[in-house]
Amino acid sequence: MGKIRVTNIQVYAYHGCLVEEGKIGSDYRVDVEVSANLQPSAISDNLQDTVDYVLINRIVKDEMAIRSKLLEHVAQRIINRIFNEVSIANAATVEVSKINPPIGGNVEMVTIEISQTRN
């Protein structure tokens, strides 16, 4: 078993419950960790035998481009796509952070984290 992490994917998106968030947008940070059997790729040196982090980055950017009210919804869509498109993925954790959220205070970011194991 092994893990591949794609850390600090920076995206500008339009998530949130407020109407203004859908118009103005905000900066987001996404971190993804995928657990999989990495032994075959360690032996073969073949991209098809591992978790392609370019694909993970594309999944994140695609799903972040679809507006949602809740960050949890976006994170779950990312996990669903990982399990649909990365056959060797056994588990995934996705953190979505909204940078400088509009909550009436000086807050660096708000982060949600969802972890799931393949059924």
Side-chain angles (χ1 to χ4, degrees), residues 58-105:
R58 184 170 54 241
I59 288 170
V60 168
K61 290 190 174 190
D62 288 352
E63 294 304 320
M64 288 296 290
I66 301 168
R67 178 164 160 67
S68 291
K69 293 177 186 171
L70 300 178
L71 300 181
E72 295 90 324
H73 190 256
V74 181
Q76 187 62 58
R77 287 199 323 260
I78 293 168
I79 288 175
N80 292 346
R81 288 246 341 244
I82 290 169
F83 287 145
N84 286 335
E85 298 180 32
V86 182
S87 61
I88 68 168
N90 296 321
T93 298
V94 175
E95 293 182 18
V96 180
S97 302
K98 182 181 281 193
I99 310 299
N100 297 318
I103 60 175

Side-chain angles (χ1 to χ4, degrees), residues 2-116:
K3 294 181 181 180
I4 291 185
R5 292 181 190 95
V6 185
T7 305
N8 199 16
I9 302 169
Q10 298 177 13
V11 181
Y12 196 85
Y14 298 87
H15 306 299
C17 294
L18 302 175
V19 175
E20 295 79 19
E21 292 174 299
K23 293 178 182 177
I24 298 168
S26 185
D27 289 309
Y28 292 83
R29 170 188 170 152
V30 181
D31 300 301
V32 178
E33 179 179 281
V34 179
S35 297
N37 181 358
L38 300 181
Q39 284 303 307
S41 60
I43 294 167
S44 72
D45 196 28
N46 190 335
L47 181 60
Q48 283 70 36
D49 294 333
T50 193
V51 177
D52 182 354
Y53 50 80
V54 174
L55 173 61
I56 299 299
N57 186 59
R58 184 170 54 241
I59 288 170
V60 168
K61 290 190 174 190
D62 288 352
E63 294 304 320
M64 288 296 290
I66 301 168
R67 178 164 160 67
S68 291
K69 293 177 186 171
L70 300 178
L71 300 181
E72 295 90 324
H73 190 256
V74 181
Q76 187 62 58
R77 287 199 323 260
I78 293 168
I79 288 175
N80 292 346
R81 288 246 341 244
I82 290 169
F83 287 145
N84 286 335
E85 298 180 32
V86 182
S87 61
I88 68 168
N90 296 321
T93 298
V94 175
E95 293 182 18
V96 180
S97 302
K98 182 181 281 193
I99 310 299
N100 297 318
I103 60 175
N106 187 10
V107 176
E108 180 181 356
M109 72 177 110
V110 173
T111 303
I112 65 93
E113 177 182 308
I114 295 181
S115 296
Q116 190 171 329

